[in-house]
Amino acid sequence: MRAAAAPAARARGGLARRSSTAWPGRSGAQRLRAVAGQQQSDVELAATASQLMKWLQAQGAPPTPLEPKRFKADVGQRVGLIAGRDVSGGEEVLEVPEALVVTAVDAEQHALVGRVAAGTSELVGLALWLMAERAAGGASPWAALLATLPDASASPILWEEPDREELLAGSRVLGEARARQAALQQQWAELAGAHFGSDPAAWPPAVWNEAAFMRAFSVVLAHSTYLPAAGCFGLVPGACLMGRTGNDNGCTLDFDAQRGRVVVTATRPYREGQEVLLNDGRPNGELLLSTGTLQDGNLSDCCMFPAALVPADRYYGMKAQLLESFGFGPAESFPVYADRFPIQLLSYLRLSRIQDPGLFAKVTFESDAPISDMNEYEVLQLLMGDCREALAGYRTSLEEDTKLLQRPEVSGRERLAARLRRGEQAILSATMDAVRRRLAPIRGIPTKGGGMADPNADIKEVFDFIDDLPRKPRQLLDGLKAWARGEFDPDWNNCARGLARGSGAGGASAAGARAAAAAGWTAQPRPAQQQPASASPPGQPQQQQQALQPEVQAAAQSARRLAAAMVAAAARAGAARLGAWARRHRVRELLLGPHGAAPAGLAALSMLPALPGGGFSDLFTNRVFLAGFWGWFTAQTLKIFTKRLKKGVWDIRAIVDSGGMPSSHSALCAGITTAIAFQHGLGSASFALGLAFSSIVMYDAAGVRRHAGKQAEVLNQVIGELLDGHPVSDVKLKEVLGHTPLQVCAGAVLGVLFGIFFPTPHPPGGAGAAAALLAAA
């Protein structure tokens, strides 16, 4: 910066041609009391500020309508300038001759530090100049200016690390403060090694040390002003006392080369007594780092949002080239304000999420043009996630910081940090509200298939199911009838077609009669009008086919009845064989012993504590157990049919699958809880326990387990698409783990029905129940 500032200063022929010895007399400065390296009290700062304004006029500055005044600050008090009378817009409120402005030229021409300052940056050179002049004390020719400057600013760069970590957690200012402190420490280490550490007599360690350097640098950073026309920084007496505003309603400051003065111009009218501020378009975080102050309601305040391309993206190179054509890199940061965020941020994120090269032509950074609903949804969700993550990093909430600022005993650093955190959290909250408003018109969420699904589809499905509930029994009965008729089974149709082609009408009729006779059924005679003709006239195949259709249908129906009869006969034969095996191996005596006594083979079981009541036989009369068991078993069995209706395939494995319609866990829990309610009452502890247990199971089924299944879908998709050709695992994760709310509701309804209508069985009790069951077998 110094190298760029010097040519500009030499070109205008002003600030660069003078030295610190070319001053006029310093009679006014001799009356000011300044002590280098010592912070002045608030009263002394106000008094010296008034003396400084008088001294400026004595040195040739025109009268000014500005007057110094003390203001309450977060850390102690500060001195600012107010309008001593009404000021009109465009009026020049302060003029400072260029001879009174301290720049890097003064630092380079300084007798003590000039050689060192010439090899450093502009602000570092001004900090070294300030240290040298403070060491001179009251003998310094710049004592009038030094007396109005504090010993150090309240910048977080100077805070101790524990305070900084505690007060700035979650804010990006924390990382910036650490980085800038480390840079200053590195700068001083280089200066000390090359100059200040080599000759302690010329550079006393009590004056030239790291702490003094950092304090001086913070003062230069807080009170210097950039002069655009001169292209350099400068310490402008009088102007260095003015506060800063980011609302663009203060004053402008610049160097007038024709008049050789630094001029402060009001951009709006001021009434008498109003504080006059300098325009400074920096956000509060940067103001706090540079000046140790910040402004409430700063319209320039913002939070920086990072955005970057993913290196693993298959279109990374194409996207990087496209961004380069727009003037952006693979990683950028964009400012987000409380009332707006840049369209460039949205465009950048939209481009980063594109997975179809054909959509690259729709990317624009000139207007807010969404690419697609899916792309816009992903971009807005990314912004929402970034806001949530940023808010989660703060240790206090927006409401807590607001309450903290209302406490008078809060320290200055705590108050500064709380104001900073409150402003940043307000920006993040406002950004989340803006993202929600943009998300509202997007009626859908991206699906695995690439489409958009209604986000309220689950709730809508529940209400549709409730509306369709009265028609469900009829639909179930019709479906069972159609299944019994073989309408869903292509094997019966193929059989019927084969009979029609092979046997003809007479053969099919005879086969049907034989099958019916074997099944034990008597064939009903067909009405006369339905009897087919014995032979079809030649040349009329259509009429012959129509005549054969009733015979084919009769044959198919007879074959199905025959199959059912065969299944029943096989079941009876199996039961008979099981009974014979039980009698042959004396299962009854083995279990119950002769006359109900325990057999010797089970004598060891007599050492176990006896179960109360009738023992295990009571399990078959327990209404609570039976209601839950049959609710669970029925739900698992129904999954075979619901999977058939949904996917069109019969899969017996569905009876042991998790997930699906209906939820067997919900049916089990709802059946048990309902049966407990009818058996023990709603006021019993058992019902409360069952209700809590059921609620947890149903909530996890529709929540944790369901989202685990969705995560499995995403992982399978990532492995299948992003890692194509480099599989992480050959095992595909199971995606059907949980249930939708509709499946949970269906299972709960099924369980409640079993709990309400399941009768309490009353078979013989105790050992007699088991004996009766075995005798029946």
Side-chain angles (χ1 to χ4, degrees):
M1 297 179 66
R2 179 190 61 82
R10 286 193 295 268
R12 71 170 189 270
L15 295 177
R17 285 201 302 264
R18 63 175 172 81
S19 66
S20 59
T21 59
W23 266 54
R26 295 289 194 270
S27 57
Q30 301 299 326
R31 296 189 298 268
L32 297 177
R33 184 166 56 90
V35 179
Q38 180 179 359
Q39 184 176 10
Q40 306 298 308
S41 66
D42 298 329
V43 178
E44 290 174 331
L45 284 176
T48 53
S50 299
Q51 292 294 331
L52 176 64
M53 302 305 292
K54 296 177 181 179
W55 176 77
L56 283 175
Q57 297 181 22
Q59 302 302 322
T64 174
L66 304 183
E67 299 177 356
K69 181 181 179 180
R70 285 189 300 168
F71 293 92
K72 184 178 180 180
D74 294 300
V75 181
Q77 292 187 344
R78 65 178 180 87
V79 176
L81 298 180
I82 63 172
R85 58 171 175 81
D86 292 345
V87 175
S88 59
E91 180 180 352
E92 296 178 353
V93 295
L94 182 63
E95 296 181 24
V96 180
E98 63 173 336
L100 305 181
V101 179
V102 183
T103 65
V105 177
D106 297 280
E108 294 173 2
Q109 296 179 356
H110 196 276
L112 182 60
V113 297
R115 183 173 56 89
V116 180
T120 62
S121 65
E122 191 173 359
L123 292 178
V124 172
L126 287 175
L128 296 177
W129 174 91
L130 180 59
M131 295 174 67
E133 293 300 323
R134 280 180 169 174
S140 171
W142 302 93
L145 174 62
L146 300 179
T148 61
L149 299 178
D151 179 63
S153 70
S155 171
I157 299 175
L158 304 180
W159 294 3
E160 294 80 7
E161 180 58 26
D163 290 347
R164 194 160 50 199
E165 170 68 26
E166 179 182 358
L167 299 177
L168 299 179
S171 175
R172 73 172 189 88
V173 175
L174 176 60
E176 281 290 326
R178 290 171 174 169
R180 298 187 186 187
Q181 183 189 48
L184 287 176
Q185 291 172 344
Q186 177 66 25
Q187 178 68 64
W188 176 255
E190 295 176 359
L191 293 174
H195 304 284
F196 303 113
S198 59
D199 189 359
W203 311 100
V207 176
W208 303 95
N209 55 71
E210 180 183 283
F213 170 73
M214 297 188 68
R215 289 196 302 269
F217 188 89
S218 70
V219 173
V220 170
L221 198 62
H223 295 275
S224 63
T225 308
Y226 184 72
L227 306 172
C232 64
F233 285 90
L235 288 171
V236 183
C240 62
L241 301 176
M242 300 176 67
R244 311 297 176 96
T245 177
N247 297 340
D248 201 24
N249 60 351
C251 299
T252 61
L253 183 147
D254 204 353
F255 176 71
D256 189 342
Q258 294 181 353
R259 294 189 291 174
R261 297 174 182 271
V262 174
V263 181
V264 179
T265 305
T267 58
R268 67 174 181 88
Y270 285 91
R271 297 183 62 86
E272 182 180 357
Q274 280 187 308
E275 185 179 9
V276 181
L277 304 173
L278 281 177
N279 285 332
D280 192 332
R282 291 180 289 182
N284 277 344
E286 186 62 34
L287 283 177
L288 182 60
L289 286 168
S290 301
T291 67
T293 62
L294 44 81
Q295 177 191 6
D296 290 332
N298 184 2
L299 298 181
S300 299
D301 195 15
C302 64
C303 292
M304 301 303 294
F305 272 57
L309 298 180
V310 180
D313 192 343
R314 68 181 72 177
Y315 303 115
Y316 177 86
M318 299 175 60
K319 293 179 180 180
Q321 293 178 3
L322 187 59
L323 285 174
E324 185 178 359
S325 66
F326 286 108
F328 297 97
E332 296 285 347
S333 293
F334 297 90
V336 175
Y337 300 86
D339 57 345
R340 64 196 185 281
F341 47 83
I343 61 174
Q344 289 79 11
L345 171 60
L346 293 177
S347 300
Y348 196 105
L349 294 177
R350 289 165 183 159
L351 174 61
S352 67
R353 301 302 298 174
I354 290 179
Q355 293 301 318
D356 183 4
L359 298 176
F360 286 163
K362 300 181 66 175
V363 177
T364 176
F365 284 81
E366 302 298 330
S367 60
D368 187 8
I371 295 176
S372 66
D373 285 346
M374 178 182 295
N375 180 273
E376 195 72 6
Y377 180 87
E378 293 178 353
V379 166
L380 295 177
Q381 287 293 348
L382 282 176
L383 281 176
M384 185 70 74
D386 289 343
C387 291
R388 291 196 184 100
E389 183 179 358
L391 286 174
Y394 294 95
R395 296 182 180 178
T396 56
S397 64
L398 180 62
E399 294 77 12
E400 292 173 342
D401 285 334
T402 302
K403 294 180 180 178
L404 180 65
L405 292 174
Q406 297 174 354
R407 296 164 52 186
E409 70 275 10
V410 175
S411 65
R413 288 183 178 179
E414 291 176 338
R415 190 172 298 276
L416 277 173
R419 291 174 61 194
L420 176 70
R421 296 193 305 265
R422 184 178 63 175
E424 292 178 347
Q425 292 182 78
I427 293 174
L428 294 173
S429 300
T431 303
M432 293 181 66
D433 293 340
V435 172
R436 291 190 187 98
R437 289 192 295 269
R438 282 178 168 264
L439 278 171
I442 304 177
R443 298 298 181 183
I445 57 177
T447 61
K448 183 178 180 180
M452 297 292 289
D454 188 351
N456 300 319
D458 294 338
I459 300 177
K460 183 179 179 182
E461 188 180 3
V462 171
F463 283 101
D464 291 343
F465 175 78
I466 295 175
D467 292 338
D468 199 42
L469 199 58
R471 296 186 292 272
K472 288 298 181 182
R474 180 69 179 180
Q475 294 176 2
L476 178 61
L477 182 60
D478 293 342
L480 292 175
K481 289 181 178 179
W483 173 76
R485 290 194 298 266
E487 295 180 4
F488 300 140
D489 195 343
D491 295 336
W492 291 113
N493 298 328
N494 295 334
C495 178
R497 286 193 295 269
L499 288 174
R501 289 192 299 267
S503 301
S509 178
R514 287 193 300 270
W521 291 311
T522 302
Q524 297 295 329
R526 185 182 290 103
Q529 62 272 17
Q530 296 183 2
Q531 294 292 336
S534 58
S536 299
Q540 297 181 359
Q542 184 67 25
Q543 297 179 0
Q544 183 179 6
Q545 184 179 2
Q546 292 177 356
L548 291 177
Q549 286 181 356
E551 299 296 338
V552 173
Q553 294 177 359
Q557 184 176 5
S558 299
R560 287 197 297 271
R561 291 180 179 178
L562 176 61
M566 293 175 63
V567 171
R572 287 194 296 269
R577 286 194 296 270
L578 179 63
W581 178 86
R583 288 190 297 272
R584 184 168 60 254
H585 292 81
R586 304 179 65 184
V587 176
R588 181 179 183 276
E589 290 79 1
L590 179 64
L591 293 178
L592 304 177
H595 309 292
L602 301 180
L605 297 179
S606 61
M607 301 177 62
L608 299 176
L611 292 174
F616 285 102
S617 62
D618 287 348
L619 191 62
F620 300 100
T621 63
N622 189 334
R623 178 181 181 181
V624 175
F625 166 76
L626 293 176
F629 171 78
W630 286 112
W632 168 83
F633 182 79
T634 305
Q636 286 293 122
T637 305
L638 287 176
K639 290 181 181 180
I640 302 176
F641 301 95
T642 56
K643 189 172 183 178
R644 172 67 173 82
L645 294 176
K646 184 176 181 181
K647 298 187 176 181
V649 295
W650 292 103
D651 188 1
I652 193 63
R653 293 174 298 179
I655 199 171
V656 294
D657 280 350
S658 61
M661 168 68 84
S663 171
S664 58
H665 292 78
S666 301
L668 171 65
C669 298
I672 289 177
T673 305
T674 305
I676 290 176
F678 278 91
Q679 186 162 338
H680 298 284
L682 299 178
S684 64
S686 301
F687 173 76
L689 183 62
L691 183 61
F693 167 73
S694 301
S695 302
I696 294 174
V697 171
M698 294 180 188
Y699 177 80
D700 286 344
V704 177
R705 290 171 53 203
R706 184 186 177 201
H707 287 287
K710 290 185 176 181
Q711 291 175 1
E713 290 184 17
V714 175
L715 290 175
N716 288 333
Q717 185 177 7
V718 169
I719 294 173
E721 294 181 4
L722 296 183
L723 301 179
D724 189 15
H726 303 279
V728 178
S729 174
D730 294 333
V731 180
K732 186 176 181 181
L733 298 178
K734 186 175 182 180
E735 299 178 357
V736 182
L737 298 176
H739 298 278
T740 65
L742 175 59
Q743 295 170 353
V744 172
C745 292
V749 170
L750 182 64
V752 169
L753 292 178
F754 270 97
I756 294 177
F757 298 107
F758 197 89
T760 303
H762 298 286
L773 292 176
L774 289 175

